[in-house]
Amino acid sequence: MAAYILKRLISAIPVLFGITLIVFLIMAMIPGDPATAILGAYATPENVAKINKDLGLDAPLFQRYFIWLGNMLTGDFGRSYSLNRPVLDEILERFNATLILAGTSFVLCALFGILAGVISAARQYGWADKAITFTVLIGISIPSFFLGMVMILVFAVRLRWFPVSGMYAIYGGGDLPDLLNHLVMPAIALAAVATGVVARMSRSAMLEVLRQDYIRTARAKGVNERKVVLGHALKSAMVTIIPVLGIQAGFVLSGAVYIEMVFQWPGIGRMLVDAILKRDILLVQGGVVFVAACYVLFNIIVDVAQSLLDPRIKS
C-alpha cells in the first residue's frame, strides 16, 4: 500500500506542473497591464515602468514563470497587489470558509446520494424508485446558481427563514448556530446537482451488483434482505461509487466559486473573482494552484480508498 501511495503521489507531480504552466500562461494572455490596474489614476508611463520593474513584470515570460514556480516550491506564493498581504495567508484564511461550504455540500451529496441510490435500486420500479428518479432528474437539470437565487427569493426574502447572504450575521452572532443558519441554503444549492449524479450512479452500481450470482445465492440461503443489500451489495458497489464521489468533490469545489458569489460567502471562490477583476495576478495564480492541488490530493485519497476495497486496482 505504501508503494501504491508513493506511486500516486509521484504521478501527481507532472499534473500539478502542467496546472501551474496553464494558469500562468492564461493569466499572461489576459488583456491589460497589471501595473496600470494597480496605479489607477496615477498610471503615468514613468510610474508604470517603475512598478513593472519592481514586480519583475518587465522580465521575459519564461523567466517570470520559473521565478514564480521556484518561489512557490519554497512556500512563497508572492504578495497580493490589491490586498498588500502575502498570497498564501489570504488563501489559507479564505479556504477555511470554502472548506466549510464545500465539505458540508460534499457530505450531503455523498450521504443522500448513496442513500437514494440504494433505496431506488432495492425498490426497482416501485413508487420509491420512481419518486427518487423524478427528484434526481429535477436536481440535475437545475443549475446550482439558479437554485441558489430561487432559494434566496423564497426562503430568505419571502419566508424569512434564513439570512440572505454572508457567513455570519453583521451584528451579533458569530457562533455555531449562526454559522449553520447561514450555511443551510448555499450548502443545499451546491450539493443538489452532485447529489443527483451520485444517486444515479449509485443506483446503476447497486442494480449491477444485485444481479450477481452470489447475491442470488445469499437470498436463496435466507439471508435477511437488509443484510444482503447493505452488507453485501453496497460494499461491492462502493468500488464503482467511490470514483464518482471523487469527481463530484471536484465539481463541488469548483462550483463553490459561483455559489460564493450568489450568497456572498467569504471563501476562496469569491476571492478569485475579486482578484480577477482587479488583475491581481499572483493572487489568482496562487489560488487556482492551491485549489487544484487540493483536488489532486483528494483524488489520491479516493484512489487509495478504492484500492482498499478492491486490491486488484493496485496491480
Side-chain angles (χ1 to χ4, degrees):
M1 178 58 69
Y4 177 73
I5 295 174
L6 181 61
K7 180 182 176 182
R8 294 293 293 114
L9 289 173
I10 293 175
S11 66
I13 294 176
V15 175
L16 292 174
F17 177 79
I19 290 171
T20 61
L21 183 60
I22 292 172
V23 171
F24 182 85
L25 292 177
I26 290 176
M27 293 305 300
M29 290 187 294
I30 293 178
D33 183 12
T36 304
I38 294 170
L39 292 170
Y42 302 96
T44 63
E46 295 79 11
N47 290 338
V48 169
K50 184 177 183 302
I51 289 292
N52 283 330
K53 184 178 180 180
D54 292 342
L55 298 177
L57 297 175
D58 57 346
L61 187 64
F62 72 91
Q63 184 177 345
R64 283 157 46 196
Y65 170 72
F66 283 109
I67 291 174
W68 171 66
L69 182 62
N71 290 337
M72 269 207 314
L73 293 176
T74 61
D76 180 12
F77 281 56
R79 194 171 188 85
S80 168
Y81 311 151
S82 59
L83 301 176
N84 194 27
R85 65 176 302 192
V87 168
L88 187 59
D89 291 349
E90 179 68 14
I91 291 173
L92 293 177
E93 181 179 315
R94 293 296 195 104
F95 190 68
N96 290 331
T98 297
L99 191 61
I100 292 173
L101 174 58
T104 303
S105 298
F106 178 76
V107 170
L108 290 176
C109 80
L111 290 178
F112 288 103
I114 294 175
L115 179 63
V118 170
I119 295 174
S120 184
R123 301 288 186 267
Q124 188 180 15
Y125 304 129
W127 67 267
D129 182 23
K130 294 177 181 178
I132 290 172
T133 301
F134 178 75
T135 305
V136 164
L137 288 176
I138 293 177
I140 294 176
S141 304
I142 301 177
S144 297
F145 67 89
F146 179 76
L147 177 61
M149 290 188 289
V150 171
M151 293 178 71
I152 289 175
L153 180 62
V154 175
F155 297 108
V157 177
R158 295 287 178 83
L159 299 178
R160 300 184 182 275
W161 289 356
F162 302 104
V164 174
S165 62
M167 187 173 176
Y168 293 104
I170 298 177
Y171 302 104
D175 52 5
L176 182 59
D178 186 31
L179 172 62
L180 294 177
N181 195 34
H182 284 77
L183 182 61
V184 171
M185 289 200 301
I188 293 176
L190 183 55
V193 175
T195 302
V197 174
V198 173
R200 292 193 67 178
M201 297 304 298
S202 299
R203 180 182 184 275
S204 299
M206 285 293 294
L207 288 175
E208 183 178 352
V209 173
L210 289 172
R211 297 189 185 103
Q212 299 298 316
D213 292 337
Y214 73 93
I215 296 295
R216 284 196 290 265
T217 302
R219 285 170 170 166
K221 289 183 176 180
V223 178
N224 183 271
E225 183 66 16
R226 178 175 297 181
K227 186 176 181 181
V228 170
V229 173
L230 300 179
H232 298 289
L234 181 58
K235 182 178 179 181
S236 299
M238 286 302 295
V239 177
T240 304
I241 296 172
I242 284 179
V244 178
L245 294 177
I247 296 173
Q248 294 311 305
F251 171 83
V252 168
L253 197 56
S254 61
V257 174
Y258 46 83
I259 289 297
E260 287 177 1
M261 293 303 298
V262 170
F263 289 93
Q264 294 298 294
W265 190 267
I268 200 168
R270 185 179 170 191
M271 178 204 75
L272 287 174
V273 173
D274 292 340
I276 291 172
L277 296 176
K278 296 175 182 177
R279 290 281 293 156
D280 197 335
I281 294 177
L282 291 179
L283 187 57
V284 176
Q285 292 175 175
V288 172
V289 170
F290 184 85
V291 172
C294 292
Y295 179 53
V296 170
L297 179 61
F298 188 83
N299 272 274
I300 292 175
I301 295 174
V302 167
D303 290 343
V304 172
Q306 190 180 17
S307 67
L308 291 174
L309 290 174
D310 188 357
R312 295 172 299 176
I313 296 175
K314 291 184 289 185
S315 58

